Amino acid sequence: MSAIRTFRRAIPHLFGIVLALLALIGTAAALEPVSIGRDTVAVDLMPAVELHHSDGNNFQVSTVPGADGIVRRIEVESVSANPTGNWAVFALANNADTQIDRLVVAPHFKLSGSGVVWPDLGSRRIAAITPSEGFTLDRQDSSEADLFLVTLDPGSVITFVVELSSDRLPEMRLWEPNAYKDTVNAFTLYRGIVLGIAGLLAVFLTILFVVKGSAVFPATAALAWAVLAYICIDFDFWQKLVPTQPGQESLWRAGTEVAIAFTLVVFLFAYLSLNRWHRALSAFTMLWLAGLAGLGVLAAFEPAIASGIARMSMVGIAGVGAILILILSVKGYDRAVMLMPTWALICAWLTAAAMTVEGRIDNDIIQSALGGGLVLIVLLFGFTVMQHAFAGGTVAPSPISDMERRSLALAGTGDAIWDWDVTRDRIFVGNDTEETIGLPIRTMNGPARDWLPILHPDDRDRFKATLDAIIEHRRGRISQDFRVRGEDGHYHWMNLHSRPVLGSDGEVVRCVGTLKDVTGRRKSEERLLHDALHDQLTGLPNRELFIDRLEAISALCGAQVELRPTVFVIDIDKFGRINDAFGVVTGDTVLLTVGRRLKRVLKPQDSLARLDADRFAIILNSRSDVSEVAAFAEYLRGVIRAPIGFTDTEIHLTGSIGLTGWTDGAGPEELLKEAELAMYEAKRLGGDRIEPFRPSFKTVSSGRQELEADLRRAFTRHELHVYFQPIIRVRDGVTAGFEAILRWEHSKRGLVPVEEVLRVAQASGLMEQLCQFVLDEAARRLSDWQQIPGRGALFVCVDIPSGQLLRQDLVNDVALVLKRYKLPPETLRMEITETRVMENPERAAKVLERLRAMGVGLTLDAFGSGQSSLSYLMRFPFDALKIDRAFLSDERREERLMIYESIVAMAHRLDLVVIAEGVEKAADADKIRQFKCDYIQSRVHSPPVTAEEARRRLQERGSERKPARIRRSV
């Protein structure tokens, strides 16, 4: 044993000598600093670290050139009580213009790459870190890793000298503090669940051992406790139970690995009853267990050696066990057959573990995943053991009486028995069901009058009247909901179903039925009623409840002359920009803030509601004087203008406020309409203003204001439709796809032009809802068409309107429809014009790259209508372009066709697909074919058609099997 210890201690010195010789043979590469920016979250420092072994207690090194280009020589003295003489050097460069804080993280234990022979079982890795400038870094509290906080000044280049506490440094990373905290917290829930399951499983199997007494149960329980101890150490929970000194974690880790190997052999021996088959097999098992027990003693002195042998032993156990199980299964031994799936999982787990310790699997989740897999294996062992141990314990079925059947049916419902003996005036409530938990059973069992104190005051008279009516009329049923005060003081909604039982004299002698707790159902009904009349985001009344309150107030106004309320409608100006700039979540937070502010300025007799999106309405009853109402309106305007703090910025809002006074004979809908028209006028005049209603507003109700209101209602009235114009493949004339085109069929105006629809949607903040409608409808129809035999190649093009490209949730919306309708990403194409891309090129490039990474097709629409910069085709990830119809106009036709042909040739050289749009003449279509354009979209072949018509045409024209991805014609 001493020889082994001496040899082991000599290994680091031999390793250092070898490194020194290698350094003399060739010149080492210069130390390169790791560049750090503000957006750098995590960096692996190991490739940039120089390790020096056995260099003594004082270490000298040359720094990397600093910002001034000077190379310095520094010397660092060991700060450890027992220095190892091992050092590491790395350098960091702050390329940002601000100060950056980062954490140097070196985990105490890493399973990946820990090895089999003399494995690395974990220890403290870093004693101290000294920078070339400033003081030694501060160590942060952590039981799992060595953490040091690094602060880098702008533009600084600093060399760090690391004093190592061990011979190995398996990993060292540089983390952004919050990101590291989030990463650690991300595993906390998972580890807690795994630990909880493992603990409950160990306790449960131990209880089963006490109850059942079979030998297999203590073996399974011992394995469960060994696994629990292992994951407690692996998840750093052991430190909270048994505080250990630094360096002792290797002893505990080795001990638990030996315990797992030992208990695994015990379980296999006990479950398969190997002592029944052959003495030699039993003797071999006893020798193996004796060796593992000795290994447990060795773990106290040489943990690494014991752990390495235990790891190899587990592989041997898996192999021997697989052979035994296979042989016994062939012989028809049912226990072996039942164990085969779980043992196959053990073999798979050991294979993954072996690849991990050898370093072939190296990621952040593999160690936790292996711990969870180990618990899963023990769980399956427990199920297998219980399935076998309790097999054959059922009772043979036999005929049951009608009374027993009714009793079983009542027990199955879970209802409590309610029995009122009218003659003796005694009520009995069964207390052996879950329905009676928390109820005052003692008070409920007794005279009927004892129920009155525990009933809700509003239900007492009704309860008494119901019982009296049953006795008086001597017929009928009781079906009533009432509230009973529980032992905790809270009321439970109870449902009583009962019927009277008549005696020989025709009088009611008792009432028998069931009592059921329906609190959950009643709360659900109340919640549904509340949600139907209130806005789910702000909790304020919605439009329907607001109109109902207007109707109630109109009835009061007829009786109270002095009551003359004022109706306000408030719209947040340009609220869509907040969603585009900060996201929908921030937009919802802003709406909540505005709702709370408006509510605070109102009095109890006033009413506030959220009509839709960014629009609120107020019924002002507390003020009736004109000057007071005007002052209140101005105050509301100031409340909305108050800035809202968000992170490091402030969000400034303005509101368009319309108001109207009470008019005798005017209905609620008309009053709200007047206030909305006044608000539209305020919005038309630039917003951030107050406009009282004037009768002249009604003369322009057919204008934009009414059109905006009609567009809001068009969604529920089903006036919006998506038509589809076929896109024809030039090579064979086959319909390859469609472009989705929005149409609004107004009930009075007829078909509204698309340009006007988009303009109104942009002004009213409905653009996002409109785009989601088109995208969802197009994806749904495409999914349906692709189910037609031979039509799996179809694609659909969806236009991205102005402003939507910069919306943060666009990528999420596209991903959602792809997942919802199970579409291949390449069959959904997004079209963007040049002008929309240039509104914000940097933001557009990021969004397009994310869409392209998902596999979604990207088309540059209306090419040639704008700036037509060829740099777009190189800068942005387009894979197709659609040539604008303007090139086919009659003005200077020959020159335009020459440019058309050049565009097609250039696009093909760039490996781009070309789609010709707006081909209105057969002659133009022939020219397009001569130019070898890939696709044509025009009225020559077909105008836009409904989804049903498109499906009919696809079914009539037979099956075609083409690649799903849009490709160039050959």
Side-chain angles (χ1 to χ4, degrees):
M1 187 68 68
S2 60
I4 293 175
R5 189 180 297 108
T6 304
F7 176 72
R8 184 182 175 193
R9 291 176 177 173
I11 288 178
H13 301 286
L14 293 174
F15 188 71
I17 294 172
V18 172
L19 290 178
L21 291 175
L22 291 175
L24 292 174
I25 292 173
T27 303
L31 186 66
E32 292 292 335
V34 178
S35 298
I36 306 299
R38 286 184 300 177
D39 297 331
T40 304
V41 176
V43 178
D44 185 7
L45 296 177
M46 293 306 297
V49 172
E50 287 186 0
L51 296 175
H52 301 267
H53 292 272
S54 303
D55 276 1
N57 298 342
N58 294 319
F59 180 72
Q60 294 184 357
V61 68
S62 297
T63 66
V64 299
D68 53 4
I70 300 176
V71 178
R72 297 175 174 82
R73 188 75 175 174
I74 62 174
E75 180 177 0
V76 179
E77 183 177 1
S78 173
V79 298
S80 299
N82 297 311
T84 62
N86 300 323
W87 304 83
V89 183
F90 66 95
L92 300 177
N94 181 4
N95 295 328
D97 55 358
T98 59
Q99 190 180 71
I100 295 178
D101 292 331
R102 291 294 184 269
L103 286 176
V104 177
V105 181
H108 293 165
F109 175 72
K110 186 179 180 185
L111 183 64
S112 180
S114 60
V116 177
V117 180
W118 272 314
D120 182 4
L121 299 179
S123 65
R124 296 187 65 174
R125 305 296 180 179
I126 300 176
I129 300 180
T130 304
S132 58
E133 301 175 11
F135 299 95
T136 302
L137 302 185
D138 295 330
R139 179 186 293 271
Q140 308 297 307
D141 293 332
S142 176
S143 59
E144 296 186 64
D146 294 320
L147 304 182
F148 293 87
L149 182 63
V150 176
T151 300
L152 300 174
D153 293 329
S156 63
V157 180
I158 301 178
T159 303
F160 296 87
V161 179
V162 181
E163 182 184 359
L164 301 179
S165 301
S166 66
D167 300 331
R168 302 184 187 181
L169 184 62
E171 179 180 289
M172 185 164 67
R173 293 186 182 182
L174 192 70
W175 282 88
E176 195 274 331
N178 290 330
Y180 177 74
K181 181 179 178 181
D182 293 340
T183 302
V184 172
N185 291 338
F187 286 94
T188 301
L189 178 60
Y190 169 79
R191 291 180 173 183
I193 293 173
V194 172
L195 281 170
I197 294 174
L200 290 175
L201 186 60
V203 173
F204 176 71
L205 291 174
T206 304
I207 294 173
L208 282 181
F209 157 59
V210 175
V211 174
K212 192 69 176 177
S214 178
V216 72
F217 282 101
T220 312
L223 178 60
W225 284 109
V227 169
L228 177 61
Y230 175 82
I231 63 173
C232 280
I233 294 172
D234 197 45
F235 291 172
D236 198 46
F237 187 72
W238 193 259
Q239 291 279 357
K240 300 176 177 61
L241 299 176
V242 182
T244 59
Q245 298 298 324
Q248 291 183 352
E249 57 267 23
S250 59
L251 185 150
W252 292 103
R253 196 178 302 278
T256 55
E257 291 181 1
V258 172
I260 291 175
F262 184 91
T263 54
L264 192 60
V265 175
V266 172
F267 169 82
L268 189 65
F269 181 84
Y271 183 79
L272 296 179
S273 301
L274 298 181
N275 58 326
R276 299 180 183 176
W277 294 92
H278 204 279
R279 291 184 179 180
L281 198 57
S282 299
F284 177 77
T285 304
M286 292 300 108
L287 288 175
W288 198 329
L289 291 176
L292 290 174
L295 205 61
V297 178
L298 179 63
F301 303 96
E302 291 294 337
I305 297 177
S307 175
I309 298 175
R311 293 181 179 184
M312 291 184 286
S313 177
M314 279 191 278
V315 176
I317 295 168
V320 173
I323 295 172
L324 284 174
I325 292 171
L326 184 61
I327 294 173
L328 297 177
S329 298
V330 172
K331 293 182 178 181
Y333 189 38
D334 58 341
R335 288 196 177 192
V337 175
M338 294 169 60
L339 194 59
M340 287 183 67
T342 308
W343 205 261
L345 184 61
I346 286 181
C347 295
W349 184 88
L350 285 172
T351 301
M355 296 176 67
T356 302
V357 298
E358 291 175 7
R360 284 187 282 177
I361 298 180
D362 185 8
N363 55 55
D364 294 333
I365 66 172
I366 183 62
Q367 187 168 331
S368 297
L370 287 175
L374 202 55
V375 175
L376 175 62
I377 290 171
V378 178
L379 184 62
L380 293 177
F381 276 153
F383 287 158
T384 304
V385 168
M386 286 188 293
Q387 181 181 0
H388 179 80
F390 293 100
T394 58
V395 179
S398 60
I400 61 175
S401 65
D402 185 64
M403 183 65 70
E404 290 173 331
R405 186 177 292 108
R406 294 187 180 187
S407 177
L408 291 174
L410 179 61
T413 63
D415 296 349
I417 299 173
W418 188 85
D419 180 18
W420 180 30
D421 187 343
V422 178
T423 305
R424 300 173 55 228
D425 191 20
R426 288 291 183 270
I427 294 178
F428 168 80
V429 177
N431 57 359
D432 56 348
T433 66
E434 294 183 359
E435 300 296 333
T436 59
I437 296 177
L439 296 180
I441 298 299
R442 293 182 180 178
T443 307
M444 299 173 74
N445 283 278
R449 61 178 177 272
D450 290 350
W451 278 62
L452 298 181
I454 62 173
L455 288 175
H456 193 278
D458 296 339
D459 299 331
R460 292 171 185 171
D461 292 338
R462 186 160 49 91
F463 182 77
K464 289 191 300 181
T466 302
L467 296 188
D468 292 341
I470 287 291
I471 296 175
E472 181 179 353
H473 297 289
R474 296 185 295 279
R475 58 186 175 86
R477 292 176 180 268
I478 300 176
S479 181
Q480 188 180 90
D481 289 352
F482 49 82
R483 287 160 287 184
V484 175
R485 187 176 65 249
E487 295 177 348
D488 56 358
H490 295 90
Y491 282 96
H492 297 250
W493 275 101
M494 307 301 296
N495 174 256
L496 175 61
H497 273 284
S498 179
R499 60 178 299 175
V501 178
L502 302 180
S504 58
D505 57 355
E507 297 294 329
V508 177
V509 295
R510 67 187 322 118
C511 287
V512 181
T514 59
L515 190 66
K516 185 174 184 178
D517 191 335
V518 293
T519 305
R521 189 196 73 190
R522 293 298 296 253
K523 287 184 177 180
S524 299
E525 294 173 354
E526 292 172 0
R527 185 164 52 250
L528 288 174
L529 180 60
H530 180 275
D531 292 345
L533 298 174
H534 291 78
D535 176 57
Q536 294 186 4
L537 174 64
T538 61
L540 296 174
N542 60 12
R543 192 183 194 95
E544 288 74 16
L545 184 55
F546 184 79
I547 292 176
D548 182 74
R549 290 183 177 179
L550 275 177
E551 290 179 351
I553 291 175
S554 64
L556 292 176
C557 288
Q560 301 178 17
V561 180
E562 69 279 2
L563 181 61
R564 286 295 179 266
T566 304
V567 179
F568 290 79
V569 173
I570 305 167
D571 187 273
I572 308 301
D573 297 328
K574 301 177 181 178
F575 184 76
R577 295 185 179 180
I578 296 177
N579 286 334
D580 295 338
F582 300 99
V584 177
V585 176
T586 303
D588 290 345
T589 305
V590 170
L591 289 176
L592 280 170
T593 304
V594 173
R596 293 192 186 103
R597 288 181 176 180
L598 294 176
K599 194 171 184 179
R600 281 198 295 265
V601 302
L602 299 180
K603 293 185 178 181
Q605 59 266 43
D606 302 327
S607 295
L608 172 65
R610 183 188 180 202
L611 300 182
D612 53 28
D614 54 350
R615 190 163 298 175
F616 297 86
I618 295 175
I619 304 176
L620 186 66
N621 292 318
S622 58
R623 299 171 178 86
S624 57
D625 185 74
V626 175
S627 59
E628 291 181 350
V629 172
F632 177 77
E634 191 62 38
Y635 183 67
L636 279 182
R637 180 167 168 263
V639 168
I640 297 172
R641 288 172 60 91
I644 299 174
F646 177 72
T647 60
D648 296 333
T649 62
E650 289 186 344
I651 298 177
H652 295 270
L653 303 175
T654 58
S656 298
I657 303 176
L659 60 96
T660 183
W662 189 265
T663 305
D664 291 333
E669 291 281 0
E670 185 177 355
L671 286 172
L672 184 58
K673 179 89 172 193
E674 291 177 357
E676 286 181 333
L677 289 175
M679 180 274 296
Y680 287 135
E681 181 67 16
K683 212 167 184 63
R684 187 183 68 82
L685 296 175
D688 191 21
R689 61 185 297 124
I690 303 166
E691 283 293 325
F693 171 75
R694 291 187 289 273
S696 59
F697 292 168
K698 291 186 177 181
T699 61
V700 294
S701 61
S702 60
R704 183 173 65 87
Q705 294 87 348
E706 187 179 34
L707 201 59
E708 289 183 7
D710 290 342
L711 181 57
R712 294 180 184 275
R713 303 185 185 100
F715 290 95
T716 56
R717 293 176 178 175
H718 305 291
E719 296 178 352
L720 296 173
H721 306 280
V722 176
Y723 278 59
F724 297 88
Q725 185 170 26
I727 299 177
I728 309 301
R729 187 163 41 239
V730 174
R731 183 178 67 229
D732 50 16
V734 170
T735 299
F738 296 89
E739 179 181 1
I741 299 174
L742 176 67
R743 284 191 174 180
W744 180 13
E745 297 178 359
H746 196 281
S747 57
K748 296 180 181 179
R749 295 168 174 249
L751 185 63
V752 181
V754 177
E755 294 77 11
E756 187 172 2
V757 175
L758 296 178
R759 178 180 59 80
V760 173
Q762 188 71 33
S764 59
L766 293 174
M767 182 63 77
E768 179 180 342
Q769 185 178 357
L770 201 65
C771 291
Q772 288 179 342
F773 169 76
V774 175
L775 179 61
D776 187 85
E777 180 69 10
R780 183 172 67 88
R781 295 296 185 178
L782 178 62
S783 176
D784 177 46
W785 295 334
Q786 289 179 350
Q787 305 304 316
I788 300 174
R791 295 296 181 175
L794 285 172
F795 61 87
V796 68
C797 301
V798 180
D799 185 53
I800 302 179
S802 177
Q804 294 303 301
L805 181 60
L806 306 181
R807 190 166 57 85
Q808 294 185 357
D809 288 341
L810 174 62
V811 177
N812 295 333
D813 292 342
V814 174
L816 183 62
V817 298
L818 291 176
K819 181 178 180 181
R820 178 186 301 160
Y821 298 109
K822 299 179 181 179
L823 291 174
E826 63 271 10
T827 62
L828 181 63
R829 305 194 56 79
M830 311 304 294
E831 294 188 352
I832 309 98
T833 62
E834 306 168 58
T835 54
R836 294 167 191 162
V837 169
M838 294 312 296
E839 289 177 358
N840 191 332
E842 291 76 14
R843 173 65 180 167
K846 292 181 180 179
V847 174
L848 294 178
E849 286 290 350
R850 292 181 62 187
L851 290 173
R852 189 62 182 154
M854 293 167 52
V856 175
L858 299 175
T859 301
L860 181 60
D861 192 15
F863 184 80
S865 61
Q867 301 172 349
S868 301
S869 174
L870 300 181
S871 62
Y872 300 157
L873 304 179
M874 306 300 295
R875 180 178 181 184
F876 300 103
F878 294 111
D879 57 5
L881 62 85
K882 184 178 289 187
I883 304 177
D884 189 68
R885 66 185 69 218
F887 286 100
L888 299 177
S889 64
D890 294 332
E891 182 183 355
R892 303 177 67 179
R893 178 177 178 81
E894 295 299 327
E895 297 178 5
R896 290 178 179 272
L897 289 176
M898 291 175 59
I899 297 175
Y900 205 112
E901 184 177 12
S902 300
I903 293 174
V904 174
M906 174 201 66
H908 285 170
R909 292 191 186 96
L910 294 175
D911 197 26
L912 296 175
V913 174
V914 181
I915 303 173
E917 183 182 25
V919 183
E920 304 293 341
K921 302 177 182 178
D924 290 338
D926 294 337
K927 280 287 186 182
I928 296 300
R929 294 187 182 94
Q930 295 175 11
F931 296 160
K932 297 183 179 180
C933 193
D934 301 297
Y935 297 89
I936 291 181
Q937 176 186 340
S938 70
R939 291 183 176 270
V940 172
H941 296 86
S942 173
V945 297
T946 63
E948 292 74 15
E949 175 66 17
R951 179 179 178 83
R952 186 186 63 79
R953 293 186 182 186
L954 291 173
Q955 291 175 327
E956 288 179 352
R957 296 184 181 180
S959 63
E960 304 158 10
R961 300 188 180 276
K962 302 294 178 183
R965 183 178 177 84
I966 181 171
R967 300 183 184 277
R968 286 178 46 196
S969 302
V970 180

